[in-house]
Amino acid sequence: MTVETIRDVLELTRQLHANLADTLGRASRDAQQERLRMLLDYLSLHERELSRVVALTEDDAQAATLDTWCTDYFNKHPFDNTALAQIDYANMTTAEVMRSLLAIHDRIIDLYRYLATHAEVSSSEELLNSLLALEQHEAMRMMRDAEELEDL
């Protein structure tokens, strides 16, 4: 997918969360350990919800904001959504799953942070800062909930 505008960024991250939800859901069905299955199910639902929220954000944003160009980040840091399907979450430990997911979310957080700090229009900066806060909050929430699951 070619990413040129903020609309494209939102579509990329929406797809990333949806693909991650699908990958985690498949891994849950293949996982042998009950605790890992529970974690993968939870994370799959969580990623599906993040995909939905990003789609709603896109629906609510102003067209002018969504059409703002932002190609420079992707020239230096390309995203590969297809690589997610290659991750074998079903055969990882819960700690490995969480490290992998946090690395993915950190990439999204870095993307939003970079774009927000380089935004030339205040409406674009506000939208990107909102998405940045959402991703940061949800990454922390996933870690907290995963740790609680480990304590069971």
Side-chain angles (χ1 to χ4, degrees):
M1 170 181 190
T2 303
V3 180
E4 297 177 337
T5 65
I6 291 177
R7 182 185 318 276
D8 297 333
V9 169
L10 293 179
E11 182 58 21
L12 173 80
T13 55
R14 187 203 61 73
Q15 286 178 7
L16 185 128
H17 287 301
N19 292 346
L20 197 48
D22 293 343
T23 299
L24 292 164
R26 280 191 304 278
S28 173
R29 291 187 293 277
D30 296 338
Q32 301 299 313
Q33 299 172 354
E34 180 64 25
R35 188 173 299 212
L36 179 59
R37 250 190 326 273
M38 289 170 46
L39 176 64
L40 293 170
D41 282 339
Y42 163 75
L43 294 171
S44 177
L45 291 172
H46 190 87
E47 292 296 332
R48 181 88 46 223
E49 180 62 14
L50 275 172
S51 177
R52 188 185 73 77
V53 170
V54 171
L56 289 173
T57 301
E58 183 177 357
D59 291 345
D60 290 345
Q62 298 174 356
T65 300
L66 293 174
D67 292 335
T68 302
W69 288 82
C70 58
T71 57
D72 58 332
Y73 181 88
F74 295 97
N75 293 335
K76 299 173 190 168
H77 310 284
F79 267 65
D80 182 11
N81 253 347
T82 59
L84 294 177
Q86 307 304 318
I87 302 173
D88 187 12
Y89 288 113
N91 292 305
M92 291 181 170
T93 66
T94 56
E96 290 169 334
V97 168
M98 291 311 299
R99 272 195 302 277
S100 174
L101 279 179
L102 285 178
I104 293 166
H105 280 268
D106 283 346
R107 290 267 333 263
I108 297 169
I109 289 167
D110 289 344
L111 165 65
Y112 286 142
R113 182 178 292 122
Y114 177 88
L115 293 176
T117 59
H118 289 81
E120 295 178 10
V121 179
S122 62
S123 62
S124 297
E125 182 181 3
E126 289 171 18
L127 174 65
L128 292 162
N129 277 325
S130 173
L131 290 164
L132 172 62
L134 171 72
E135 288 289 344
Q136 290 172 324
H137 174 76
E138 293 304 315
M140 287 187 296
R141 184 174 148 207
M142 280 191 314
M143 278 304 295
R144 181 199 66 218
D145 293 350
E147 287 173 356
E148 288 175 4
L149 180 63
E150 280 295 312
D151 291 342
L152 292 178

